[in-house]
Amino acid sequence: MTDPSATTDRTPPSDEQLEEEGDIAADFIEGLLDIADIGGDLALDTRSGRAYVAVEEDGDGSLSVLSNPDTVQALQELTRIAVQAKTGRFSRLILDVGGSRDARHVQLEKLVDAAIARLDDGASQASLPSMSSYERKLVHDIVADRGLVSESYGEGSDRHTVVRRG
């Protein structure tokens, strides 16, 4: 049931609210895994003001069908909607399936390195493909670690990051 006192603004959630989001998300993911007859162990955490739910392999190998980054992104959005339906609050929950977030981080590092190579070849800036706000944040961190600057441009699903020298 939706909490009538819940706000729809983007006020940072409290630790209790993040734990509630994680519990609701875990129940939702467990239900999906049961329906699909896919094994997995759940781990809940809070990181950087977000609920973080990891679905880890339980040894039967069936989780690999869900660990594709596009599939994880879709499951994350469904899970966020389920959490929002229960709490009445916007959720910035992060879902990791079978280490997919670490794998995606490596892919993002390669994208940034390719952008830097374009800069080294004389480009004044290098655009990266559109990606989620979470992935753009990771890209900004990677770019900063490499001593360059980045900014996000565009709206909605077209929002992307541009890398340039400072």
Side-chain angles (χ1 to χ4, degrees):
M1 179 142 214
T2 302
D3 177 358
S5 66
T7 62
T8 57
D9 65 15
R10 301 283 174 110
T11 304
S14 67
D15 289 341
E16 294 80 20
Q17 289 172 322
L18 291 175
E19 289 174 11
E20 178 188 24
E21 284 185 23
D23 290 340
I24 293 167
D27 290 344
F28 180 76
I29 294 295
E30 280 180 340
L32 288 177
L33 293 175
D34 287 345
I35 290 168
D37 197 27
I38 295 174
D41 296 321
L42 295 173
L44 306 178
D45 196 3
T46 57
R47 299 179 186 176
S48 303
R50 296 174 182 237
Y52 189 93
V53 179
V55 184
E56 300 164 349
E57 188 65 56
D58 70 355
D60 71 359
S62 61
L63 193 60
S64 64
V65 300
L66 297 179
S67 61
N68 174 287
D70 291 334
T71 304
V72 173
Q73 186 67 26
L75 286 171
Q76 177 176 281
E77 290 307 312
L78 286 173
T79 305
R80 285 178 173 176
I81 290 168
V83 169
Q84 185 171 348
K86 290 266 189 180
T87 65
R89 295 183 311 268
F90 176 78
S91 174
R92 296 175 58 224
L93 172 127
I94 297 297
L95 176 65
D96 182 18
V97 179
S100 61
R101 292 290 171 187
D102 290 338
R104 182 61 176 154
H105 194 274
V106 169
Q107 290 175 335
L108 293 174
E109 287 177 325
K110 289 178 182 178
L111 280 173
V112 169
D113 290 341
I116 292 170
R118 292 195 304 269
L119 296 176
D120 289 344
D121 288 341
S124 61
Q125 63 184 27
S127 293
L128 300 179
S130 300
M131 56 188 71
S132 72
S133 61
Y134 178 75
E135 290 176 332
R136 286 193 313 275
K137 183 206 176 303
L138 293 176
V139 164
H140 292 305
D141 292 345
I142 294 166
V143 169
D145 286 347
R146 287 174 171 63
L148 301 171
V149 296
S150 58
E151 294 181 66
S152 294
Y153 295 95
E155 297 294 326
S157 63
D158 291 328
R159 194 147 174 88
H160 63 282
T161 306
V162 175
V163 179
R164 59 182 174 77
R165 300 206 181 275

